[in-house]
Amino acid sequence: MSSYTDQQLAEMVRDECVHRSLYTDPEIFELEMERIWGRAWIYVGHESQIPEPGDYFTTEVARQPVILIRHRDGSFKVLFNRCAHKGSKVLENPSGNARFIRCGYHGWIYHTDGTCRTVTGGKAAYGNSDSGCPQPDLDLKPLPRAASYRGFVFASLAGDGPELEPWLGATAASFDNMADRSPEGELEVTGGVLRYRHDSNWKFFVENLNDMMHAMIAHQSSAQTAQRMGQQLFGDGQAPAAIQILSPFASDANFFEKMGIHAFDHGHSYSGGKISIHSAYSEIPEYTEAMEAAYGPERTREIFSLNRHNTVVYPSFTLKGAIQTIRVVKPVAVDETIIESWTFRLKGAPDELLRRSILYCNLINSSANLVGPDDHENYHRIQHGLKTQGDDWISMHRYLDADEPNDEGGRSATGSSDMVFRNQFKAWKAYMTGANGAGTGR
Ligand code: FES
Ligand code: FE
């Protein structure tokens, strides 16, 4: 039972600032797990991770262990990873293949759609009293809702609410663009996962991805060094991919303002669109040829012209279409978050594209490299700064009344506006107080 009333929660989010407790109070974090992560569509995994019947992938939705598994009829299932007998996790490995799922404790066996095949010792031995606890339901339980968009599987712990595609809204085009960059229109998860544990609240990460003010400051030393080295060593010639990837983070304020930010219902957003940090990478001619052979020159140009920087599908998922990488948010505690970074191969594209994506992930997302640690350090500092009594309120004032409606049903603003944060907290407030819809804009 929460000690916060809906009204108290609502009062913690003002139009242009939020109360620091939203990042520091464990009770609010638990309420978020129930009311935001328990209601929204949460990313589970990609269908390419389970191509064959029996293939499975284990993960978490709102801290609850779940299984994504391919059933023998070709459909996928998202099941709670909890034996119907005494509750043991039935699958422990991160991924694998199972013809049947057999619980390691007492040996109950399940089909790949979660239905029970065998109860050890026979079902008849399980008696019933009139105490109100009926004979156990013998199946592994599915999550109330699961759906896939372009192979990206989301599930919801809530039985009702908008369907996945309308809920994604304008961000669906980011998934489309990422998949359409494959000459075959399909993506495939490659390699393993880069997984980092941050000592900070999950919201810092989903805010930061479309924070266009921080890149040129927080990443100044690494990006400017790359720029300088590029100039010294290669002049106006073509610099290696690592230099091309790092240098734009040191672009001037004007560049980031022009990239712009765009906010939508349910807290979703993206930055860039026409231009982004990724738009100036050198072409790979074989790739352009493969794309033109598949789509024709005009459609290929159209696909390449969409350059969204980061898309945030609030609260759990972010993607970079032009780089074929996603980052997945897994809250652990009020001050602890796991971020996973996954890389995709564009089916039918030259390997050089995949090399670029892996390089990008290593250079930018990895915590053992040049850009990610800047962000991690800043999340750490904010989490600790907010422990002080310096001020109870966190500013989201920037360009308060300067956003405009866009033709995708959301609102757009100059890059350094705080509009995306205001929009996320508008959604936060709607989820947390049970208000209908999660609106757009200020
Ligand atoms: Fe799974 Fe007993 S807990 S069979
Ligand atoms: Fe950053």
Side-chain angles (χ1 to χ4, degrees), residues 83 88-91 101-108:
C83 181
S88 172
K89 276 171 78 182
V90 287
L91 289 172
I101 302 168
R102 182 173 182 270
C103 179
Y105 196 11
H106 309 98
W108 287 28

Side-chain angles (χ1 to χ4, degrees), residues 24 31 56 68 84 150 177 188 236 289 315 410 415 431:
T24 57
L31 281 176
Y56 68 83
L68 172 64
R150 298 297 295 252
N177 185 254
E188 189 174 55
D236 293 333
E289 280 162 28
Y431 278 119

Side-chain angles (χ1 to χ4, degrees), residues 208 214 219 371 375:
N208 180 65
H214 86 282
H219 306 307
V371 171
D375 293 317

Side-chain angles (χ1 to χ4, degrees), residues 51 84 101 107 173 223 241 320 322 333 343 420:
I101 302 168
K320 274 180 197 287
T343 306
V420 159

Side-chain angles (χ1 to χ4, degrees), residues 334-355:
V334 69
D335 55 359
E336 192 174 348
T337 308
I338 290 173
I339 303 294
E340 293 181 349
S341 196
W342 296 86
T343 306
F344 288 78
R345 186 173 79 84
L346 297 169
K347 283 193 181 175
D351 287 347
E352 182 61 27
L353 257 288
L354 178 58
R355 273 196 284 276

